[in-house]
Amino acid sequence: MNLEKLFQMQKELDARILAEHPIQEGENRLAKKILALQVELGELANCWRGFKYWSNDQKPRTEELGECPLCKGTGDLGTVWAENCIECGGSGKVVVKNPLLEEYVDCLHFILSIGLELDFAKFIKDIEPIKNKNITEQFIFIFTKVGTLLTYQGLANYIHIIQNFIGLGEMLGFTWEEVEEAYFQKNVENHARQERGY
Protein backbone atom coordinates (compact mmCIF):
# COMPACT_ATOMS: atom_id res chain seq x y z
CA MET A 1 0.00 0.00 0.00
CA ASN A 2 1.43 3.31 -1.03
CA LEU A 3 0.40 6.26 1.10
CA GLU A 4 2.29 9.05 -0.71
CA LYS A 5 -0.72 10.60 -2.47
CA LEU A 6 -2.80 10.38 0.71
CA PHE A 7 -0.06 12.10 2.69
CA GLN A 8 0.04 14.85 0.05
CA MET A 9 -3.72 15.38 0.21
CA GLN A 10 -3.60 15.39 4.00
CA LYS A 11 -0.74 17.90 3.93
CA GLU A 12 -2.87 20.28 1.86
CA LEU A 13 -5.85 19.87 4.21
CA ASP A 14 -3.66 20.33 7.29
CA ALA A 15 -2.15 23.51 5.82
CA ARG A 16 -5.60 24.90 5.19
CA ILE A 17 -6.78 24.04 8.70
CA LEU A 18 -3.64 25.61 10.18
CA ALA A 19 -4.18 28.80 8.17
CA GLU A 20 -7.80 29.04 9.30
CA HIS A 21 -7.20 27.78 12.86
CA PRO A 22 -3.67 28.83 13.88
CA ILE A 23 -2.00 27.13 16.81
CA GLN A 24 -2.71 29.08 19.97
CA GLU A 25 -0.09 29.97 22.54
CA GLY A 26 0.57 26.94 24.73
CA GLU A 27 -1.50 24.64 22.53
CA ASN A 28 -0.17 21.16 21.89
CA ARG A 29 -1.70 20.37 18.51
CA LEU A 30 -0.04 16.93 18.41
CA ALA A 31 -1.74 15.97 21.68
CA LYS A 32 -5.08 17.08 20.26
CA LYS A 33 -4.54 15.02 17.10
CA ILE A 34 -3.66 11.97 19.19
CA LEU A 35 -6.78 12.39 21.33
CA ALA A 36 -8.88 12.93 18.18
CA LEU A 37 -7.47 9.70 16.75
CA GLN A 38 -8.34 7.85 19.95
CA VAL A 39 -11.89 9.22 19.82
CA GLU A 40 -12.24 8.21 16.16
CA LEU A 41 -10.89 4.73 16.95
CA GLY A 42 -13.58 4.46 19.61
CA GLU A 43 -16.23 5.52 17.11
CA LEU A 44 -14.90 2.95 14.65
CA ALA A 45 -15.03 0.20 17.29
CA ASN A 46 -18.54 1.27 18.25
CA CYS A 47 -19.62 1.09 14.60
CA TRP A 48 -18.00 -2.36 14.28
CA ARG A 49 -19.92 -3.61 17.38
CA GLY A 50 -18.12 -6.97 17.55
CA PHE A 51 -16.91 -6.39 21.11
CA LYS A 52 -20.45 -5.90 22.46
CA TYR A 53 -20.82 -9.35 24.01
CA TRP A 54 -23.87 -8.13 25.95
CA SER A 55 -25.82 -7.35 22.80
CA ASN A 56 -27.66 -9.58 20.35
CA ASP A 57 -26.81 -7.03 17.65
CA GLN A 58 -23.10 -7.30 16.95
CA LYS A 59 -23.29 -6.70 13.21
CA PRO A 60 -21.09 -3.91 11.86
CA ARG A 61 -22.87 -0.81 10.61
CA THR A 62 -22.01 -1.02 6.93
CA GLU A 63 -25.11 0.47 5.37
CA GLU A 64 -26.89 3.73 5.95
CA LEU A 65 -30.05 4.25 3.98
CA GLY A 66 -31.16 7.50 2.41
CA GLU A 67 -33.81 8.71 0.02
CA CYS A 68 -33.83 7.03 -3.37
CA PRO A 69 -32.75 9.63 -5.96
CA LEU A 70 -34.83 8.06 -8.74
CA CYS A 71 -38.26 8.06 -7.07
CA LYS A 72 -37.46 10.80 -4.53
CA GLY A 73 -38.34 8.44 -1.67
CA THR A 74 -41.85 7.57 -2.83
CA GLY A 75 -41.05 4.02 -3.93
CA ASP A 76 -43.22 4.55 -6.99
CA LEU A 77 -42.16 5.69 -10.43
CA GLY A 78 -45.71 6.64 -11.37
CA THR A 79 -45.58 4.71 -14.64
CA VAL A 80 -47.84 2.10 -16.13
CA TRP A 81 -44.98 -0.30 -16.85
CA ALA A 82 -43.49 -0.26 -13.34
CA GLU A 83 -45.38 -0.06 -10.07
CA ASN A 84 -42.29 0.00 -7.90
CA CYS A 85 -39.18 2.05 -8.40
CA ILE A 86 -36.52 -0.02 -10.17
CA GLU A 87 -33.74 1.57 -8.09
CA CYS A 88 -35.10 0.92 -4.59
CA GLY A 89 -37.62 -1.85 -5.26
CA GLY A 90 -40.44 0.28 -3.87
CA SER A 91 -38.91 1.00 -0.46
CA GLY A 92 -38.00 4.60 -1.25
CA LYS A 93 -34.58 4.00 0.35
CA VAL A 94 -31.14 3.13 -1.03
CA VAL A 95 -27.74 2.65 0.59
CA VAL A 96 -26.04 6.04 0.62
CA LYS A 97 -22.91 5.30 2.66
CA ASN A 98 -20.94 2.79 4.67
CA PRO A 99 -20.61 4.18 8.22
CA LEU A 100 -17.91 1.64 9.18
CA LEU A 101 -15.73 2.67 6.24
CA GLU A 102 -16.34 6.36 6.97
CA GLU A 103 -15.19 5.93 10.57
CA TYR A 104 -12.12 4.02 9.38
CA VAL A 105 -11.23 6.85 7.00
CA ASP A 106 -11.74 9.44 9.76
CA CYS A 107 -9.06 7.58 11.72
CA LEU A 108 -6.81 7.50 8.67
CA HIS A 109 -6.99 11.28 8.34
CA PHE A 110 -5.60 11.70 11.86
CA ILE A 111 -2.98 8.98 11.43
CA LEU A 112 -1.69 10.75 8.32
CA SER A 113 -1.85 14.16 10.01
CA ILE A 114 0.16 12.87 12.98
CA GLY A 115 2.75 11.43 10.60
CA LEU A 116 3.07 14.78 8.86
CA GLU A 117 3.44 16.63 12.15
CA LEU A 118 6.16 14.23 13.29
CA ASP A 119 7.83 14.61 9.86
CA PHE A 120 7.58 10.87 9.18
CA ALA A 121 5.72 10.96 5.86
CA LYS A 122 8.95 10.99 3.85
CA PHE A 123 9.93 7.64 5.41
CA ILE A 124 6.64 5.89 4.70
CA LYS A 125 6.64 4.15 1.36
CA ASP A 126 5.03 0.77 0.88
CA ILE A 127 3.41 -0.55 4.04
CA GLU A 128 2.78 -4.21 4.77
CA PRO A 129 -0.24 -4.81 7.02
CA ILE A 130 0.07 -6.59 10.36
CA LYS A 131 -2.85 -8.54 11.81
CA ASN A 132 -3.40 -9.88 15.31
CA LYS A 133 -5.51 -12.93 16.19
CA ASN A 134 -8.82 -11.13 15.98
CA ILE A 135 -10.36 -7.69 15.48
CA THR A 136 -10.81 -7.02 19.19
CA GLU A 137 -7.11 -7.56 19.87
CA GLN A 138 -6.26 -5.51 16.79
CA PHE A 139 -8.21 -2.56 18.20
CA ILE A 140 -6.61 -2.93 21.64
CA PHE A 141 -3.12 -3.04 20.15
CA ILE A 142 -3.73 0.09 18.07
CA PHE A 143 -5.29 1.95 21.02
CA THR A 144 -2.26 1.05 23.15
CA LYS A 145 0.30 2.12 20.53
CA VAL A 146 -1.53 5.39 19.80
CA GLY A 147 -1.57 6.09 23.55
CA THR A 148 2.23 6.03 23.55
CA LEU A 149 2.64 8.50 20.67
CA LEU A 150 2.84 11.60 22.82
CA THR A 151 5.76 10.32 24.89
CA TYR A 152 7.33 7.94 22.37
CA GLN A 153 7.39 9.63 18.98
CA GLY A 154 9.72 7.18 17.27
CA LEU A 155 9.39 6.33 13.60
CA ALA A 156 9.21 2.59 14.34
CA ASN A 157 6.28 3.16 16.71
CA TYR A 158 4.45 5.21 14.09
CA ILE A 159 5.08 2.66 11.32
CA HIS A 160 3.81 -0.09 13.60
CA ILE A 161 0.58 1.88 14.12
CA ILE A 162 0.08 2.28 10.36
CA GLN A 163 0.82 -1.39 9.69
CA ASN A 164 -1.69 -2.52 12.30
CA PHE A 165 -4.26 0.04 11.19
CA ILE A 166 -4.06 -1.16 7.59
CA GLY A 167 -4.29 -4.73 8.91
CA LEU A 168 -7.42 -3.70 10.81
CA GLY A 169 -8.93 -2.35 7.59
CA GLU A 170 -8.33 -5.67 5.88
CA MET A 171 -9.80 -7.53 8.86
CA LEU A 172 -12.89 -5.32 8.60
CA GLY A 173 -13.20 -6.37 4.95
CA PHE A 174 -12.01 -3.22 3.18
CA THR A 175 -9.93 -3.27 0.03
CA TRP A 176 -7.25 -0.63 -0.33
CA GLU A 177 -9.11 0.75 -3.35
CA GLU A 178 -12.24 1.25 -1.22
CA VAL A 179 -10.20 2.96 1.48
CA GLU A 180 -8.53 5.31 -1.00
CA GLU A 181 -11.83 6.23 -2.65
CA ALA A 182 -13.49 6.85 0.72
CA TYR A 183 -10.48 8.92 1.82
CA PHE A 184 -10.71 11.07 -1.33
CA GLN A 185 -14.43 11.65 -0.76
CA LYS A 186 -13.95 12.53 2.91
CA ASN A 187 -11.06 14.84 2.05
CA VAL A 188 -13.34 16.78 -0.30
CA GLU A 189 -15.95 16.95 2.45
CA ASN A 190 -13.36 18.16 4.97
CA HIS A 191 -12.31 20.99 2.63
CA ALA A 192 -15.97 21.91 2.17
CA ARG A 193 -16.39 21.97 5.95
CA GLN A 194 -13.54 24.49 6.19
CA GLU A 195 -15.31 26.66 3.62
CA ARG A 196 -18.49 26.53 5.69
CA GLY A 197 -16.66 27.33 8.91
CA TYR A 198 -17.35 23.91 10.44
Side-chain angles (χ1 to χ4, degrees), residues 1-46:
M1 276 125 213
N2 193 315
L3 297 171
E4 288 181 64
K5 61 183 167 185
L6 301 187
F7 271 121
Q8 184 56 43
M9 291 177 72
Q10 188 65 45
K11 184 177 183 178
E12 292 166 11
L13 178 61
D14 284 357
R16 181 173 187 178
I17 291 170
L18 183 62
E20 296 181 25
H21 305 277
I23 296 173
Q24 303 299 305
E25 185 177 332
E27 178 184 6
N28 185 338
R29 188 66 59 98
L30 177 62
K32 288 182 176 181
K33 289 178 183 182
I34 292 169
L35 179 58
L37 174 55
Q38 289 174 319
V39 169
E40 293 297 340
L41 281 167
E43 291 178 8
L44 176 61
N46 198 45

Side-chain angles (χ1 to χ4, degrees), residues 77-151:
L77 288 179
T79 64
V80 176
W81 55 271
E83 289 181 21
N84 291 331
C85 174
I86 56 176
E87 184 72 23
C88 66
S91 70
K93 302 284 184 191
V94 293
V95 175
V96 292
K97 66 180 179 177
N98 180 339
L100 187 67
L101 180 56
E102 282 197 5
E103 294 297 347
Y104 183 83
V105 167
D106 287 347
C107 294
L108 182 57
H109 271 85
F110 285 108
I111 288 172
L112 296 171
S113 186
I114 290 166
L116 289 164
E117 183 149 337
L118 294 173
D119 202 26
F120 289 158
K122 61 188 168 205
F123 300 110
I124 309 298
K125 299 299 176 209
D126 291 319
I127 295 293
E128 290 298 320
I130 295 176
K131 299 176 191 173
N132 286 290
K133 285 192 294 190
N134 58 56
I135 294 174
T136 300
E137 291 185 20
Q138 193 82 1
F139 268 112
I140 292 169
F141 184 84
I142 295 168
F143 268 109
T144 303
K145 292 298 268 183
V146 169
T148 67
L149 266 175
L150 194 58
T151 55

Side-chain angles (χ1 to χ4, degrees), residues 35-69:
L35 179 58
L37 174 55
Q38 289 174 319
V39 169
E40 293 297 340
L41 281 167
E43 291 178 8
L44 176 61
N46 198 45
C47 200
W48 167 61
R49 301 187 61 83
F51 69 95
K52 297 186 177 194
Y53 63 88
W54 59 88
S55 175
N56 290 328
D57 179 10
Q58 295 183 24
K59 290 184 179 178
R61 301 298 188 245
T62 57
E63 294 182 346
E64 185 172 306
L65 299 178
E67 182 181 281
C68 175

